[in-house]
Each structure stands twice: as structure tokens, then as C-alpha cells.
């Protein structure tokens, strides 16, 4: 570089001094030197013009040619331009591949700007969500997907679990929609067609609901007859038959509880969101259940305490809440050996209201805790014959809490006891 610069300087000086000598021969050395300078600047301007023309349309096959320092400058520009062009080519290829691949995805993919407007979407989004490139770009997503459930999911900012909604284009299509952040402020929406799964799930729910419903009548008839037979046959007359009938009666009652729990669970799954929520006086409800628990407690003689720290009015469904709270409290009675201690406590704080049921019973191994709210899941199947549960209690609790926007927290240590806490958010509470 230094060498080229030196050569260029020499060239410049040679032209000016040469011009000066020529001018000297006619008695005008300065005019000659100035003429040399003029020639050099002219040559420079010509080169600049050539470069400017090439930059207007920088094709690689007609690059301007020059030598020396100027050639070096041109070479540098040419090389940078070549690099730039290959980068652009690669970038275009990458964009094309991502465009083709996202269009090949069967799920709808939508990119959402920080101001909640639509940035981009793939072909499937057009099919499932009815988005049109010509009109919908930069429109608010909540103006295009107006399903109230989606709007509240979108606005909640809590995207861990997706939601199911009907496609705005075709109501018979069920979509599972999930949102997530792909940068600090930009979100991506993915909608998957789950119509088939939804139908299967619906069939399962309908089947369970219908079977449970159909089983109720025969069970009532069987129960009625057995009661009559038991009245007719005293143990003294026929001890064996009386014992057998008593066992049939016990099993029929268990079956009735199971059928009732299945029916309740089906109702909660199918239609609980349609049930109107009304103000529920929690103190009155807990007193009732406490009283019932005391009756059940007769055999085990636990020490049960009820502490109501805040007189809360909860927006809810009293029958559902009764069922959920009873399940948690009666479980504590069931899974605590005789003479245990059970503390029932209701209180409020800035985040909402809580019901905690703490026992010093058998406890639960931590590996079972995440699955306890599944239907028929039991931490210790060998024990359930003795306790006589249906395995549906905590599934009912989970559904009821979900209906009331609440959550169930389970803490337990095997051999020491358990703490079941139902948490309801503040928005479910009404000031007395
Ligand atoms: P179940 O009818 O068997 O009681 P649930 O759904 O109510 O069914 O409870 C599921 C399982 O959770 C129970 O089988 C039991 O193993 C465990 N469980 C529930 N509550 C308690 C508790 N207070 N202490 C220990 N284990 C419990």
C-alpha cells in the first residue's frame, strides 16, 4: 500500500514537474506545472466518472480497469461488492427456504408485532384462520380472531397452556392455539387442527356420561330390592344369606358413589362453564362440611379443627365447591390413621383466598403427586380397598377449581402427612 502510494505521488509530481519544464521552455514554468496538475485532476475525474457509472449498475463482468493506487481502490470496491452479492444471494436462499418450509407446515403460523398487529403468516393460517395478505396485514389480531376465549388467552400473557377454539372459517374445525414469545416483545401463534382428537374426546365424555346415567336406574332398583330382602331376612333366620346380601348392598352403594362421581365429573367436563356463578358464603359452606366430616370421623376419632380467618364471599357454584371441599377434607379423614390431627383453614391475602387441609396421615410419595388429579389414579392401590374411594375425588377437585379459575397445590411427606391447598384468585372474591 505504502509503495503504491509512493508511486502515485511520484506520478503526480512527475506530471507537474514535467509540465513545469515544458512551460519553462516557453518561459511559463508555472503555467506548465498547472497544466500538468490539470491533466492529473482530469484523469482522476475520468476514473471517478467511470466508477460512478459502474456503481449505478454494478455488473461483475464490466468492472472499470485501472492500475496503481487507483486500481487498488477499484479492486477493493469490487471485492466488497462481490462479497456483498454472495451474502445477498445466501440470504435470499435462506428466506426462500424458510418461506417454502413454513408454507409446507400444516399448522397455522402467525407472527405478531409488539403492538398486537399481524406481521406475517403462512399458507395454513389463510386456510384455518382466514387471514388474507391483501387486507389483514398490520391489523390487530384480536379484531381478526374474535373468539372471547382466545381474546382473554391473548390478553392474559400467560401462555404456558394453549386453548381450543373453533376455526373462524369453519366452525366444525377445532384448533389448538398456543402463543409464545420468540423475542422479548414479538409473539408467534401456532394453531393446530385437533378436530379428530376433539371428536374422540367428546365421544369419550358422552360415552362416560351416558353409561353413568344409564347405570343409575338399575342400581336404584337393585338397591331397593336388597333393602327389602334384608328387611325380610333376619341374621338369626339365615346368617349366610344375610351376610351375602349385606355385602351386595355395600358393593351396590360403592357402585352408586362411583356412578355419581363419574356423572359429576362428566357434567363438570361438558357443561360446567355454562353454569352461572353466584356469591357463595364460604364460612357457611365449610361449617356444613365440617359437620359432615365430624359424623364420618366417629370411627377414627381424629381431632379436626376449622379456622375461618376471613369471612369471604366467593363467586362460584355452591354444589361444585361443596363437592371439591368435601373430597379434600374427607380424604384427610380417610388417609389419616385413627386419632390423627386435621386442620382446615380458610384465609385471604393480596393474591386471593385459600383453603388448606393439613393432616398428619400416611402422606404421599412425591413421585405420585403430579398424577394424583388423574382419573382413577391412586398413590397406593392396595390401600384403596380399605378406604373405599373411587379414585375420582381429586379429578373432581381439579375440574371444580379450574371452573373457578383456581389451582390445587399438594405438599406431602410420606409418613408425616399432607397439605392440600385450594387457591382462588382475588377476582373470584366479592367484598361482603
Ligand atoms: P380416592 O377415592 O382413592 O381417595 P382421590 O382422587 O380422592 O381418590 O385421591 C387420589 C389418591 O390420592 C388417593 O388414592 C390417595 O392415594 C391419595 N390421597 C388423597 N388425599 C390424600 C391424603 N390426605 N393423604 C394421603 N394420600 C392422599
Amino acid at each position: 500500500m505504502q509503495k503504491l502510494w509512493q508511486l502515485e505521488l511520484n506520478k503526480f509530481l512527475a506530471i507537474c514537474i514535467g509540465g513545469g519544464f515544458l512551460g519553462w521552455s516557453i518561459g511559463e514554468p508555472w503555467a506548465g506545472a498547472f497544466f500538468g496538475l490539470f491533466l492529473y485532476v482530469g484523469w482522476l475525474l475520468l476514473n471517478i466518472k467511470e466508477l460512478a457509472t459502474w456503481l449505478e449498475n454494478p455488473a461483475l463482468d464490466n468492472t472499470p480497469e485501472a492500475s496503481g493506487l487507483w486500481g487498488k481502490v477499484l479492486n477493493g470496491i469490487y471485492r466488497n461488492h462481490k462479497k456483498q452479492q454472495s451474502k445477498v444471494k445466501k440470504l435470499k436462499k435462506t428466506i426462500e427456504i424458510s418461506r417454502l418450509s413454513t408454507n409446507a407446515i400444516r399448522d397455522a403460523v402467525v407472527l405478531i408485532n409488539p403492538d398486537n398487529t399481524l406481521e406475517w403468516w403462512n399458507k395454513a393460517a389463510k386456510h384455518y384462520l382466514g387471514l388474507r395478505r391483501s387486507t389483514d396485514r398490520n391489523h390487530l389480531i384480536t379484531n381478526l380472531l374474535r373468539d372471547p376465549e382466545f381474546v382473554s388467552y391473548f390478553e392474559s400473557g400467560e401462555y404456558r397452556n394453549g386453548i381450543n377454539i373453533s376455526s373462524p372459517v369453519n366452525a366444525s374445525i377445532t384448533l389448538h392455539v398456543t402463543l409464545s414469545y420468540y423475542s422479548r416483545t414479538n409473539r408467534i401463534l401456532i394453531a393446530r387442527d385437533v378436530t379428530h382428537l376433539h371428536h374422540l374426546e367428546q365421544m369419550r365424555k358422552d360415552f362416560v356420561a351416558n353409561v353413568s346415567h344409564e347405570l343409575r336406574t338399575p342400581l336404584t332398583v337393585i338397591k331397593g330390592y336388597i333393602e327389602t330382602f334384608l328387611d325380610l331376612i333376619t341374621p338369626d333366620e339365615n346368617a349366610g344369606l344375610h351376610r351375602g346380601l349385606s355385602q351386595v348392598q355395600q358393593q351396590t352403594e360403592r357402585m352408586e358413589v362411583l356412578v355419581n362421581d363419574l356423572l359429576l365429573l362428566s357434567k363438570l367436563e361438558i357443561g360446567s362453564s355454562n353454569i352461572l356463578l353466584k356469591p357463595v358464603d364460604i364460612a357457611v359452606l365449610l361449617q356444613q362440611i365440617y359437620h359432615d366430616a365430624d359424623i364420618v370421623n366417629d370411627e377414627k376419632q381424629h381431632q379436626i379443627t376449622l379456622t375461618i380467618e376471613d369471612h369471604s364471599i366467593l363467586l362460584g357454584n355452591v354444589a361444585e365447591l361443596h363437592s371439591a371441599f368435601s373430597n379434600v377434607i374427607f380424604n384427610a379423614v380417610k388417609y389419616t390413621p385413627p386419632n390423627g390431627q386435621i386442620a382446615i383453614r380458610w384465609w385471604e391475602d393480596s393474591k386471593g383466598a385459600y383453603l388448606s387441609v393439613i393432616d398428619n396421615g400416611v402422606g404421599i410419595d412425591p413421585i405420585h403427586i403430579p398424577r394424583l388429579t388423574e382419573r382413577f389414579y391412586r398413590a397406593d392401590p392396595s390401600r384403596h380397598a380399605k378406604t373405599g374411594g373411587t379414585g375420582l375425588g381429586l379429578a373432581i377437585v381439579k375440574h371444580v377449581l379450574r371452573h373457578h379459575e383456581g389451582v390445587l397445590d399438594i405438599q406431602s411427606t410420606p409418613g408425616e402427612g399432607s397439605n392440600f391447598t385450594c387457591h382462588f384468585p382475588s377476582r373470584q372474591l366479592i367484598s361482603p
Side-chain angles (χ1 to χ4, degrees):
M1 168 72 193
Q2 188 60 34
K3 207 173 150 201
L4 285 174
W5 165 243
Q6 197 60 52
L7 274 173
E8 195 62 34
L9 197 64
N10 289 349
K11 193 200 271 175
F12 169 67
L13 288 175
I15 293 174
C16 289
I17 294 170
F21 271 119
L22 274 177
W24 185 60
S25 66
I26 55 164
E28 290 287 348
W30 286 111
F34 186 76
F35 182 67
L37 180 68
F38 179 78
L39 278 181
Y40 184 78
V41 170
W43 172 76
L44 268 186
L45 282 175
L46 262 177
N47 277 334
I48 289 173
K49 182 184 167 261
E50 219 175 311
L51 176 63
T53 319
W54 181 75
L55 283 175
E56 263 179 16
N57 180 22
L60 290 181
D61 50 356
N62 69 342
T63 49
E65 303 237 342
S67 57
L69 187 63
W70 190 245
K72 174 115 181 143
V73 171
L74 289 180
N75 244 340
I77 294 175
Y78 170 72
R79 246 184 292 128
N80 276 345
H81 176 69
K82 209 169 160 187
K83 256 194 229 162
Q84 199 67 21
Q85 273 208 332
S86 99
K87 265 191 200 160
V88 169
K89 223 172 169 181
K90 268 191 202 153
L91 213 65
K92 272 188 186 163
K93 205 169 161 192
T94 315
I95 292 173
E96 184 61 9
I97 289 173
S98 60
R99 194 183 65 81
L100 288 174
S101 52
T102 43
N103 275 340
I105 295 174
R106 282 190 209 131
D107 300 340
V109 180
V110 183
L111 301 186
I112 302 161
N113 292 319
D115 61 356
N116 301 345
T117 56
L118 299 186
E119 168 66 32
W120 177 91
W121 56 90
N122 68 348
K123 239 184 192 167
K126 187 177 160 199
H127 174 65
Y128 288 122
L129 305 172
L131 302 180
R132 270 160 307 179
R133 225 161 277 279
S134 52
T135 51
D136 295 339
R137 197 145 183 264
N138 291 327
H139 274 62
L140 282 176
I141 181 139
T142 42
N143 280 355
L144 300 164
L145 299 179
R146 288 163 180 267
D147 187 306
E149 213 179 325
F150 172 76
V151 174
S152 77
Y153 171 61
F154 183 79
E155 285 169 356
S156 71
E158 172 55 63
Y159 302 143
R160 226 173 313 153
N161 302 314
I163 51 156
N164 281 2
I165 58 166
S166 298
S167 157
V169 180
N170 180 349
S172 66
I173 297 178
T174 305
L175 297 172
H176 182 73
V177 178
T178 44
L179 280 161
S180 28
Y181 281 96
Y182 67 92
S183 74
R184 217 165 52 81
T185 48
N186 293 62
R187 280 160 286 184
I188 182 168
L189 176 151
I190 296 175
R192 169 166 297 176
D193 184 348
V194 290
T195 314
H196 186 59
L197 280 177
H198 184 70
H199 275 160
L200 285 176
E201 182 68 2
Q202 201 57 44
M203 271 164 65
R204 181 192 63 76
K205 285 178 190 169
D206 290 348
F207 175 75
V208 174
N210 291 339
V211 167
S212 321
H213 187 76
E214 292 304 319
L215 281 174
R216 273 181 116 178
T217 319
L219 270 176
T220 315
V221 176
I222 295 171
K223 247 182 83 182
Y225 273 114
I226 290 174
E227 262 168 36
T228 317
F229 292 154
L230 275 172
D231 283 347
L232 291 175
I233 302 159
T234 59
D236 300 337
E237 281 169 7
N238 192 335
L241 185 61
H242 192 274
R243 209 177 324 115
L245 281 173
S246 299
Q247 275 188 11
V248 176
Q249 187 182 38
Q250 265 177 29
Q251 294 305 321
T252 317
E253 275 163 7
R254 269 201 66 194
M255 214 160 152
E256 196 180 28
V257 175
L258 180 65
V259 167
N260 284 341
D261 273 1
L262 274 173
L263 256 178
L264 177 64
L265 204 50
S266 298
K267 272 193 206 147
L268 284 167
E269 278 183 331
I270 295 171
S272 66
S273 55
N274 303 331
I275 298 173
L276 225 72
L277 302 181
K278 290 182 185 155
V280 178
D281 189 328
I282 294 297
V284 173
L285 179 66
L286 285 177
Q287 290 285 359
Q288 262 175 28
I289 302 171
Y290 174 66
H291 184 251
D292 296 345
D294 220 31
I295 297 168
V296 180
N297 185 34
D298 206 32
E299 194 187 312
K300 287 195 165 175
Q301 294 295 313
H302 297 309
Q303 193 193 327
I304 307 179
T305 56
L306 170 65
T307 317
I308 296 174
E309 290 178 15
D310 292 282
H311 195 107
S312 312
I313 305 291
L314 190 81
L315 194 62
N317 178 279
V318 70
E320 288 183 6
L321 289 171
H322 185 280
S323 175
F325 292 173
S326 304
N327 269 307
V328 179
I329 293 170
F330 289 1
N331 271 354
V333 175
K334 270 195 298 188
Y335 297 105
T336 303
N339 301 312
Q341 297 201 332
I342 296 166
I344 308 165
R345 185 174 154 236
W346 175 271
W347 79 99
E348 281 182 23
D349 70 9
S350 58
K351 289 184 187 144
Y354 306 80
L355 170 76
S356 75
V357 179
I358 303 176
D359 65 55
N360 62 349
V362 293
I364 307 157
D365 193 313
I367 55 158
H368 298 298
I369 291 179
R371 299 194 58 193
L372 284 184
T373 53
E374 288 175 20
R375 288 176 194 83
F376 300 113
Y377 190 87
R378 292 185 173 100
D380 184 355
S382 63
R383 195 180 293 128
H384 105 268
K386 281 183 250 157
T387 57
T390 60
L392 296 171
L394 292 181
I396 292 174
V397 175
K398 182 178 81 174
H399 275 89
V400 171
L401 290 188
R402 189 181 287 170
H403 185 201
H404 292 78
E405 297 186 29
V407 282
L408 175 67
D409 177 59
I410 306 171
Q411 306 286 332
S412 190
T413 313
E416 285 185 19
S418 312
N419 178 354
F420 284 75
T421 305
C422 308
H423 170 218
F424 298 91
S426 310
R427 57 182 175 276
Q428 290 294 119
L429 293 168
I430 303 173
S431 323

